[in-house]
Amino acid sequence: MESDRTVPSSRRAFLTTLGTVGLAGCLGGLPGGGASGVTLYVGAYHWGFVVLDESGEELDRSVVDWGTPLSLAAFNAGAERAVRALPRAVREALPDHEALEGRNEGRVPPPRDGTLHERLEAANERYPDHSLAVMPSGGNHMGGMGGGMMMHPVALPRDASSPTVVRLSASRRGDFTLSCRTYCGYGHPYMDLDGAIVVR
C-alpha cells in the first residue's frame, strides 16, 4: 500500500555537497537511515518510478525536513543484479514486472497503432536503460535541464550490478519530481513521479 512518509530531521550536520557512489554489489555498502538521515530506494521501470523506504513500504511521497541528509539508492527495476543487491525488505516489496506494467494503464495514453503492451515490450528490448533526475515540481520535466535541479541525472542501465547511491542535502524547500532523462521508448514523456519528495 502506498503512503506518505514524514521523516524527522536529523540532529547531525547535514551534507552540503552532492556525491554519487556506485556500489560494488554488497548489501553492507547501502546507506542506512536513522541518525544519519533518510534513505529512499528508487526503482525506474518502463515508464515510471517506484519509491520504497528501508522497510519496503512503498511511498507516494516522502516528506523530509529542511537540512536532512538524503540518500537515494537508485536502480533500474530490470537490472537483475542491482535488484539482488538491495536489502531483502526492499527487494521483496518491489512489485513484479506485470504489476509495474499495469501502472501504465490510464497514465500513459494508448498508441494509435498497436497496444501499450507491444510498445512496452519493444521498449524493453530497444531502450532498456533509464536515468534519474530530481527537479522542482511543476516544470517541464522532459524539456531542458531547467533551473534549481536538486539532483542532476544519474544513469540507471539495465546491466548495472548494483544500485547507484546519491547523497545530497534537502537544502531547498518545495516539492520535487523524479524524472527519467534517458529516452526509453513510447512512454518516455510520461516517465516522472510528480511531488515524490517534499522538503518542508
Side-chain angles (χ1 to χ4, degrees):
M1 175 157 186
E2 298 178 6
S3 66
D4 291 354
R5 165 69 58 83
T6 301
V7 184
S9 177
S10 168
R11 293 178 188 253
R12 296 173 117 186
F14 61 88
L15 301 177
T16 57
T17 59
L18 170 70
T20 304
V21 179
L23 299 178
C26 76
L27 294 176
L30 289 172
S36 61
V38 175
T39 299
L40 299 176
Y41 294 86
V42 180
Y45 65 92
H46 285 87
W47 292 289
F49 292 98
V50 58
V51 181
L52 303 108
D53 67 10
E54 293 174 286
S55 71
E57 180 181 357
E58 185 171 351
L59 307 173
D60 276 333
R61 13 178 245 157
S62 180
V63 181
V64 297
D65 290 328
W66 180 88
T68 301
L70 185 61
S71 292
L72 300 182
F75 59 96
N76 185 325
E80 293 179 14
R81 291 185 299 162
V83 169
R84 283 196 303 267
L86 294 168
R88 183 176 179 180
V90 175
R91 186 175 64 246
E92 291 179 350
L94 186 66
D96 64 21
H97 175 76
E98 290 74 25
L100 293 174
E101 179 180 351
R103 295 179 181 201
N104 291 326
E105 298 292 331
R107 196 175 57 78
V108 178
R112 292 185 181 171
D113 57 336
T115 67
L116 195 57
H117 176 74
E118 292 169 339
R119 293 295 182 100
L120 177 69
E121 292 304 309
N124 276 322
E125 288 298 316
R126 292 187 66 197
Y127 309 105
D129 300 333
H130 299 292
S131 61
L132 172 66
V134 182
M135 57 192 64
S137 298
N140 177 6
H141 309 306
M142 292 299 135
M145 294 300 283
M149 187 174 287
M150 185 179 187
M151 187 186 88
H152 288 278
V154 293
L156 303 176
R158 184 165 64 187
D159 64 358
S161 61
S162 59
T164 297
V165 177
V166 181
R167 293 180 175 91
L168 60 157
S169 173
S171 59
R172 226 184 124 189
R173 288 185 172 90
D175 293 4
F176 295 88
T177 292
L178 308 180
S179 181
C180 178
R181 309 295 295 186
T182 300
Y183 183 74
C184 55
Y186 173 77
H188 173 69
Y190 307 96
M191 190 169 167
D192 57 32
L193 186 56
D194 196 45
I197 300 173
V198 178
V199 181
R200 64 181 184 183

